[in-house]
Amino acid sequence: MKRQHWLLCVATTAMVVFAPRQFTAQQSSARIRIDPDRVIGEVNPLLFGNFTEHLGRCIYGGIFEEGSPLSDADGFRKDVLEAARGLGVTMLRWPGGNFASGYNWKDGIGPRDQRPARRDDAWGALETNRFGTDEFLRYCERLKVEPYLCINAGLGTVDDARHWVEYTNEPGNTYWAQQRRKNGRDKPWGVKYWGLGNEIDGPWQLGHKNADDYAKFALEAAKAMRRADESIQLIASGSSNFGQGADWVGWNRTVLERLRNEVDYISLHTYIGNRDNNFEKFLAVSRDIDDRIEVVKGQIKAVQVGNSRARPIAIAFDEWNVWYRTLTPGSTEFQIASTGLEENYNFEDALAMGMFLNSFIRHADIVKMANLAQLVNVIAPIFTNKQALYLQTTYFPLAEYAKQRGNHSLDVLVESPQYKPDNGRPLGYLDVSTTYDPKTRQVFVNVLNRSEKTDITARIENIAGAPSGAVTVWELNHPDLKATHTFGKDNVVRPSTRTVNVKSSGNGFEYTFPKHSLTILRF
Ligand code: AHR
């Protein structure tokens, strides 16, 4: 390694500033210092949420395929259910996305054969409405995940929204509760999480509004929905429009100022892509994700400061993923729909999953919900045809992060060789998050080495003492950054696991993170 060409950095998620260490030739080139007392926040299980939209083959032909030998009596694809379980999904958002802004939930209840077929003007498709509210909520029950419904804040009304809450949650004998019972469900579904619209700041959205008009609508919707069930949690539509000239900070400011006493979350959406085929630049986007989270966190604080009774508000990162191959810049939503958004993911995209999740975990104090967009076929880790499914490369890190974690996110000190991905600010090659389980006293260190060419040896120190036993290693790596999966061939990019007996000295040990790899160390 040509150490003299590398800069060294200190990256810490806390306010405490550590003095940069001077490295000598004998020392490790990187250092990760863990202190189990430095807790950033609780890692909310809802960070492992997902999303199913009426779009392409996500619902029809994805989770739901009536008459298929692979489906159960409800029309749910059993193979997809099993794969979703393996993914460790904790929550499902529905029915959109853009689709939500033209959707009338009343079309999707009652006897299936009597439901109206409608134009889906968000995606230029035909919506049969054979999958509706009861099907979705039954699916969530089957999968044992928390449902999250997004109201139509585009072309819909406040009345539609409050009736929807009444339909799903009312225990009494009201009109909409009676309709639910007539449709086979006596007990209320008890839907807790409700989105106040989707990407309403985007000009592409049906019923797009300016921030003032949106705030006015959302405030009235929140009030009316809470009258139907005061226990619900509400997610405001934060800005998703980062295009040129878009005032995303201004949108969030207005929304937070006006809705601060009503909402529990504000949403954030981010899609990324390796458009110019530059691996290290692609995986540098964590900085942008971190920055956006921190800006919104500051905006939340700005509307709460000085008010000891301020309503707690968190960030719901309720759409995130790699999406660029089936997204042509400048195209209309209708053209986008014709691709079905069926991305075929490769190995470097799988590494990006770790990058996103590291950022969410590093911000566990404020990011309390996150939803990968989406679950099946549409920019998804699971891909079906009529006979089978295969698991995309992105499936494996998602599943592992959901499984291997403690409930405390730790503020770790990371010193790592740096690079300048965009000729701008320096960034460490190692992207790290760490969690700790105080019950079992296990530490999980998640490390993305985004150097394309160089392995990096780090000294891992734990101020509570070096690990006494073996260290368990989960590693995702592949020599071909572009390696992909397909039907019958989804074992190309697979993780390896092993235990290593590290040689501890002092309060730490050394570990080498291979170039372009994602590693989870547990000790
Ligand atoms: O997830 C695909 C689409 O991306 C969603 O419908 C929309 O909210 C976003 O623009």
Side-chain angles (χ1 to χ4, degrees), residues 212-224:
D212 274 329
D213 289 348
Y214 170 68
K216 225 179 273 170
F217 175 91
L219 208 54
E220 289 310 309
K223 184 168 82 189

Side-chain angles (χ1 to χ4, degrees), residues 51 53 55 93 96-99 123 198-199 204-205 269 271 319 323 333 341 373-374 378-379:
F51 173 34
E53 177 168 8
L55 160 56
R93 178 174 180 249
N98 296 343
F99 175 79
W123 295 107
N198 176 73
E199 297 188 353
W204 58 87
Q205 201 69 203
H269 292 179
Y271 293 100
E319 284 187 33
W323 173 23
E333 294 289 291
L341 278 62
Q374 304 190 4
V378 174
I379 43 174

Side-chain angles (χ1 to χ4, degrees), residues 173-482:
N173 201 20
T174 65
Y175 175 78
W176 285 109
Q178 284 167 7
Q179 300 310 302
R180 185 189 69 233
R181 293 198 182 96
K182 223 161 55 190
N183 295 333
R185 175 71 180 200
D186 183 28
K187 203 171 103 195
W189 289 108
V191 179
K192 184 170 169 191
Y193 297 95
W194 293 84
L196 296 171
N198 176 73
E199 297 188 353
I200 301 295
D201 65 317
W204 58 87
Q205 201 69 203
L206 289 172
H208 157 62
K209 295 174 175 51
N210 66 33
D212 274 329
D213 289 348
Y214 170 68
K216 225 179 273 170
F217 175 91
L219 208 54
E220 289 310 309
K223 184 168 82 189
M225 290 163 77
R226 280 234 168 77
R227 298 259 167 104
D229 180 351
E230 63 182 11
S231 72
I232 58 176
Q233 297 257 303
L234 296 174
I235 299 104
S237 177
S239 178
S240 54
N241 185 7
F242 305 122
Q244 257 193 350
D247 180 15
W248 69 277
V249 173
W251 172 278
N252 288 342
R253 188 185 307 120
T254 304
V255 166
L256 283 165
E257 272 167 5
R258 305 272 292 279
L259 297 177
R260 68 179 137 185
N261 297 322
E262 286 295 342
V263 299
D264 307 286
Y265 300 83
I266 180 163
S267 70
L268 249 177
H269 292 179
T270 294
Y271 293 100
I272 63 165
N274 188 2
R275 284 205 173 77
D276 44 8
N277 194 20
N278 180 336
F279 173 82
E280 293 188 352
K281 190 172 153 205
F282 171 52
L283 292 181
V285 182
S286 61
R287 185 163 55 190
D288 197 49
I289 299 165
D290 287 347
D291 285 350
R292 283 187 203 284
I293 292 172
E294 281 153 30
V295 167
V296 178
K297 180 179 170 177
Q299 293 193 288
I300 294 172
K301 207 175 246 176
V303 299
Q304 295 174 327
V305 68
N307 177 2
S308 57
R309 295 172 57 207
R311 187 183 190 93
I313 300 176
I315 292 174
F317 219 114
D318 58 13
E319 284 187 33
W320 65 272
N321 208 341
V322 173
W323 173 23
Y324 66 109
R325 299 169 183 90
T326 58
L327 174 63
T328 323
S331 76
T332 65
E333 294 289 291
F334 189 91
Q335 284 162 334
I336 292 167
S338 65
T339 67
L341 278 62
E342 297 193 354
E343 297 255 336
N344 182 221
Y345 288 118
N346 61 25
F347 168 57
E348 66 188 18
D349 298 328
L351 297 180
M353 300 298 104
M355 178 184 69
F356 269 107
L357 290 167
N358 279 350
S359 180
F360 302 159
I361 292 170
R362 281 196 295 266
H363 296 94
D365 56 332
I366 193 74
V367 181
K368 295 290 183 188
M369 182 196 296
N371 303 70
L372 179 86
Q374 304 190 4
L375 184 66
V376 196
N377 295 331
V378 174
I379 43 174
I382 303 166
F383 201 91
T384 68
N385 62 16
K386 288 202 176 303
Q387 293 77 37
L389 65 73
Y390 74 86
L391 304 176
Q392 297 239 35
T393 56
T394 52
Y395 183 92
F396 303 95
L398 292 166
E400 202 61 26
Y401 268 70
K403 215 183 309 166
Q404 288 217 61
R405 64 188 153 91
N407 52 349
H408 286 177
S409 165
L410 297 185
D411 167 32
V412 290
L413 168 76
V414 180
E415 292 174 347
S416 157
Q418 290 188 328
Y419 68 124
K420 289 187 174 170
D422 41 18
N423 302 320
R425 282 188 288 162
L427 180 71
Y429 270 117
L430 295 187
D431 182 77
V432 182
S433 71
T434 304
T435 65
Y436 174 61
D437 181 347
K439 272 204 203 112
T440 60
R441 305 188 68 223
Q442 287 190 100
V443 177
F444 303 82
V445 187
N446 313 314
V447 181
L448 169 67
N449 179 359
R450 53 190 154 197
S451 168
E452 189 177 347
K453 305 239 158 62
T454 312
D455 301 346
I456 295 177
T457 299
R459 179 167 163 79
I460 301 176
E461 299 167 355
N462 181 2
I463 72 154
S468 46
V471 174
T472 307
V473 181
W474 175 96
E475 184 188 304
L476 193 69
N477 203 349
H478 197 277
D480 178 5
L481 301 177
K482 307 294 181 192

